[in-house]
Amino acid sequence: SFSSQLNPQRNTCYNLTKQLTITMTLTVCVGASGSGKTTFLNDVHKSHKCTYIRQYHNLRPYIAVSAIPNFDPTKLPYWDIYIKEKKEKSVIVGGTIAGQFMPGLSGGQRKLLLFELICQRTASQDNLLIVLDEPFAGVTDDFVPFIVGRLNEMRKKHNILLVTNDHVDTLKKMADNTVTVSAIDRSKVK
């Protein structure tokens, strides 16, 4: 709806307010391995300006989690464990670099860290298209409430396209749209 006030002496509009309701969406894409889910996301990325976090996107394993710029690790659902153990300043991301394994967070914890980093870095922005490829691979069921809460926060301000093979039932239930791709017949998308 539009509202305006006219200046009767000049017959001009000096205050124009436009009120729009913008609906953001959460779209979940599911399908078997090799069905083309990542190809679909790559096509979306080519066609649209978006924030795209790829399946194997990772952080440098030697970085202390507490030293990541513009990031509050206390928002992570497992961080209180490191605080109790007094390791919150020393725990590193962990993982493999140049064939060398560095102990740190588990694989699922690293996935949640990356997801939470995206949540925090996009929180002050609006109307983004955020594309996430397998962001919860290796994340245990214990963290599903955290995932659901964060996705619900994000979808208030952003459109989210999420590919997953993990926690499918929960994510499909909360999705506005579900895209199912088939490994057998790649010409059909439901």
Side-chain angles (χ1 to χ4, degrees), residues 82-100:
Y82 295 110
I83 292 171
K84 287 176 189 171
E85 294 175 354
K86 301 196 183 312
K87 294 181 180 178
E88 71 272 18
K89 299 287 184 205
S90 62
V91 68
I92 63 171
V93 171
T96 304
I97 187 168
Q100 199 67 20

Side-chain angles (χ1 to χ4, degrees), residues 62-180:
Y62 53 82
I63 295 175
V65 175
S66 62
I68 296 172
N70 305 315
F71 179 69
D72 179 2
T74 64
K75 304 284 188 203
L76 292 166
Y78 53 81
W79 198 250
D80 59 329
I81 294 168
Y82 295 110
I83 292 171
K84 287 176 189 171
E85 294 175 354
K86 301 196 183 312
K87 294 181 180 178
E88 71 272 18
K89 299 287 184 205
S90 62
V91 68
I92 63 171
V93 171
T96 304
I97 187 168
Q100 199 67 20
F101 178 75
M102 301 183 77
L105 298 177
S106 71
Q109 288 176 323
R110 286 193 301 272
K111 284 286 193 173
L112 282 177
L113 168 65
L114 188 57
F115 176 63
E116 179 60 22
L117 183 63
I118 296 304
C119 292
Q120 290 183 26
R121 298 265 176 98
T122 60
S124 64
Q125 301 173 56
D126 289 319
N127 302 320
L128 297 175
L129 172 57
I130 301 173
V131 179
L132 304 169
D133 190 1
E134 298 286 358
F136 310 121
V139 175
T140 66
D141 292 344
D142 299 341
F143 296 116
V144 169
F146 172 80
I147 293 167
V148 168
R150 282 295 193 256
L151 284 172
N152 280 328
E153 285 177 31
M154 290 174 72
R155 74 196 283 185
K156 290 176 186 174
K157 297 174 79 174
H158 308 296
N159 288 303
I160 303 166
L161 176 57
L162 168 70
V163 162
T164 191
N165 279 333
D166 297 276
H167 316 295
V168 172
D169 291 337
T170 299
L171 294 171
K172 282 172 62 173
K173 283 178 190 168
M174 69 180 292
D176 300 300
N177 307 292
T178 301
V179 177
T180 304

